[in-house]
Every structure is written in C-alpha cells, then in structure tokens.
Amino acid sequence: MRTIVVTGSASGIGRATQQILHDHGNRVIGVDRHDADLRADLSTLAGRGELADAVTARTNGQIDGVVANAGVAGETPDVVTVNFFGAVATLERLRPLLERSATPRAVVTASMASLLPSDAELVDLCLAGDEPAAVVRATRLVDAGQGGLLYPSSKVALCRWVRRAAAGPRWAGAGIPLNAIAPGVVETPMVAPMIDTPQKRQALAAMVPMPLHGFMTPETPARLLAWLVGVENSHLCGQVVFVDGGSDVVLRGDST
Ligand code: NAI
C-alpha cells in the first residue's frame, strides 16, 4: 500500500484528492489546520517542522507521494507564506522520506492565476527563499492597493520553482517526478465568495475564460493530482499541467 501526504485536506481540492486516493487503496495522511489526521499551520516555521516530524513518526520515515496543495486566496501576506513558502517547505522537508520509496512522486497545486499580472520583485524574493523580505514586499503591495498581485505572484513563483528544481539532482536525480497542476476556477469554499451572485460569477468568468465546460468541481483537478502521484506517472518532469477548461489556450495562445 502506498502512503501519500495531502496538505489542505480538510476542504475543496485537497479533500477530494484525499478521498480519491483513499478509494484507490492508498494510505492517505491528510494535513490541515483543522479536521485532519495531522494539524499543522504551514504559514509558520514551527508548523512546517511539526509536519515533517509528525509524518516521519507515523511512517517510519518512508512515504510514496506528496500533494502540496494547501493554499489561501485574498490580499494578505499569508497568501505568500502559505502558497509559496509553505508548499516549498512541504516538498523539501518530505523529500528525504520520498527518497526511501521505490516509486516516489511529488506534485504541487499552482493555478492558472500564474497567467495573470504579477509582481516581479515579489516573485524574485520568493525564488531567492527570502521569506521575511517577501512578506515586507507583499505588505507594501497591499498598502499600495495592489494586493490583487499577491496570489498570482505566489503561483508564478511556485511554477518557476518547480521548473528550476524538477530536473536537478534532488528530484529527477533522486528518481522523484516533481510537477505542478494549474487549475482554472474550481467551485470550492475558497472561491465561493467570488461567485455568490450572478454578477460576480460573470466577472470571474470574464477574467478566467474557460470555453471547455466552464467552472469545475474539485474532483476534476483531484483526479489529475491522484494520477500524478501514482506509479503510472514515471516520466512527467517539471510540467505545469493546466486543467483549466482552456484558459491557458485563450490567454497565452502559442506556447512554443
Ligand atoms: P479550500 O479553501 O477549499 O481549501 C484549502 C485548504 O487549505 C483548507 O482546508 C485550509 O484550511 C488549508 N490551509 C490554508 N492555509 C493553511 C495553512 N496555513 N496550513 C495548513 N493548511 C492550510 O481551497 P481550494 O480551492 O481547495 O484550494 C486548494 C489549492 O488549489 C490552493 O493551493 C489554491 O490556491 C489552489 N487553486 C484553487 C483554485 C480554485 O478555483 N478553487 C484554482 C487554482 C488553484
């Protein structure tokens, strides 16, 4: 039986992923701030340490997959500390446990929001691993009325981090496929306040065009996440897989 760690397991995409992996016969360790096998706040250094210690204690130091999925929306610095630094810490801290598996896999939930306007300085600070400076920059953006840049910036940084790390010695070199998914709009509690009137729904659909089937349920990205941490995924390396009803195609067109 494979053991897979899923963060953000109490709600939305993480909850659906946990259920699918469980139904497929995996042992799943759900991680969240509440209603989870392991409670940890991934916005803090202490919470990230607790995650690694608790998973190690429960697994004798070996796991087969990580789904780094926990994330938040909004316009507070938490968006950067959870979505980028929390996700990277989850992957890095659990990587030694993956190395002991015969078929290790890792995936992170990014977003199609990586295609929207972002802040280059914030992205660079994230990729430099400078969390205090990134929080200062995020706070400045919020104070300047540009808090809307935080979420796309956190996801741009995450996609670039995956692209830079995946083919290197710590991931591909250690036999661990590392990839990201980039969902379009998924109807979860995170998005609920953005689509609770027909007007808001229309406004979000205009920002995130999804010509194929429109907004999706959490099971759609969850099925992809489950496949990406499964044994069948042997050769996907450093990909950002858009599961977005076509928003990438509409917004970015030719990608080569
Ligand atoms: P959700 O709000 O339903 O679930 C997110 C889960 O993450 C919650 O259970 C929450 O408690 C947990 N979480 C948040 N901060 C945490 C922290 N500091 N420590 C531990 N757990 C924490 O949201 P949803 O939609 O399921 O989002 C999951 C991921 O998918 C996020 O990374 C989000 O950015 C991403 N995403 C969501 C999209 C959407 O349209 N819903 C689209 C693209 C990406």
Side-chain angles (χ1 to χ4, degrees), residues 11 13 32 40-42 69 109-111 151 155 184 186 188 190-191:
S11 176
I13 298 169
D32 209 300
D41 180 353
L42 299 173
N69 165 79
T109 306
S111 172
Y151 185 83
K155 298 298 188 179
V186 189
T188 68
M190 176 187 282
V191 165

Side-chain angles (χ1 to χ4, degrees), residues 32-235:
D32 209 300
R33 284 180 300 194
H34 56 88
D35 300 314
D37 304 311
L38 289 183
R39 272 193 250 163
D41 180 353
L42 299 173
S43 69
T44 67
L45 287 178
R48 297 166 197 163
E50 283 163 25
L51 163 73
D53 291 346
V55 172
T56 304
R58 288 179 182 220
T59 60
N60 291 325
Q62 180 188 315
I63 58 173
D64 302 289
V66 176
V67 180
N69 165 79
V72 290
E75 302 195 2
T76 61
D78 248 22
V79 169
V80 176
T81 58
V82 179
N83 295 6
F84 180 79
F85 290 99
V88 169
T90 298
L91 293 165
E92 285 289 9
R93 284 171 182 255
L94 296 180
R95 202 191 62 82
L97 285 73
L98 286 170
E99 270 190 336
R100 302 209 178 99
S101 167
T103 51
R105 309 283 184 259
V107 65
V108 62
T109 306
S111 172
M112 69 64 62
S114 59
L115 303 174
L116 302 176
S118 58
D119 180 67
E121 187 176 332
L122 180 54
V123 171
D124 287 346
L125 290 168
C126 288
L127 289 167
D130 193 340
E131 187 165 2
V135 168
V136 169
R137 177 68 186 164
T139 306
R140 285 211 184 110
L141 287 169
V142 173
D143 291 346
Q146 294 184 295
L149 296 175
L150 268 51
Y151 185 83
S153 302
S154 72
K155 298 298 188 179
V156 169
L158 207 46
C159 293
R160 284 194 195 152
W161 183 86
V162 167
R163 296 287 293 172
R164 291 178 187 186
R170 294 163 62 76
W171 295 94
I176 312 171
L178 169 66
N179 295 284
I181 70 161
V185 178
V186 189
E187 298 208 30
T188 68
M190 176 187 282
V191 165
M194 302 176 213
I195 54 174
D196 58 4
T197 67
Q199 291 79 4
K200 286 194 203 170
R201 243 187 131 80
Q202 225 171 2
L204 190 59
M207 190 166 75
V208 184
M210 297 173 64
L212 182 67
H213 300 321
F215 297 170
M216 67 190 94
T217 64
E219 286 70 26
T220 297
R223 279 190 288 268
L224 178 58
L225 288 167
W227 187 83
L228 285 163
V229 290
V231 288
E232 285 183 353
N233 174 23
S234 59
H235 281 74

